[in-house]
Amino acid sequence: MPISRRTFHTVAARTAASLAFTSACDFSALVASTGRLNVRIKTAAKTTASGETALGLGAPRDGILRLPSVVPAAPMPLMVLLHGAGGTARRQLDRFAAVPDA
C-alpha cells in the first residue's frame, strides 16, 4: 500500500504529539491496580426489583439488568457482560443461563 509524503508526515506528527502529551494524563485514578472496580458500597441501599429489566437504551440491542429471583439481604456481586459489535445483550445473557440465580 503506497503512502504519500503528506500522509506520512501527518501520521508522524500525530504520533509524536500523542507521545508528548501522554504523561500529562493520569489514568491511575480510573483503574485499580488489581483490575477491579473501586466503588463505595451504600449500606442502606435496597432493591425491590427481581428478574429481568430492559435498560431502555435503544432497541433492538438494548441492555438488560438481571437480578436473581430472590434478592438476598446481603450485598451481591456484580457481573457486567459486554458483547461484541454484532452481539446482543439477550444472546450474551443466555450463555450464562442460571448464573444470576445461583
Side-chain angles (χ1 to χ4, degrees), residues 6-50:
R6 179 175 292 177
T7 303
F8 173 78
H9 286 292
T10 302
V11 171
R14 288 180 181 175
T15 302
S18 67
L19 292 174
F21 293 112
T22 300
S23 62
C25 299
D26 182 21
F27 297 109
S28 62
L30 299 176
V31 180
S33 62
T34 60
R36 295 180 177 255
L37 297 174
N38 291 326
V39 297
R40 290 181 227 149
I41 299 174
K42 294 182 179 181
T43 56
K46 294 187 180 194
T47 183
T48 58
S50 64

Side-chain angles (χ1 to χ4, degrees), residues 64-76:
I64 300 172
L65 172 65
R66 181 166 179 196
L67 293 168
S69 54
V70 177
V71 178
M76 295 183 296

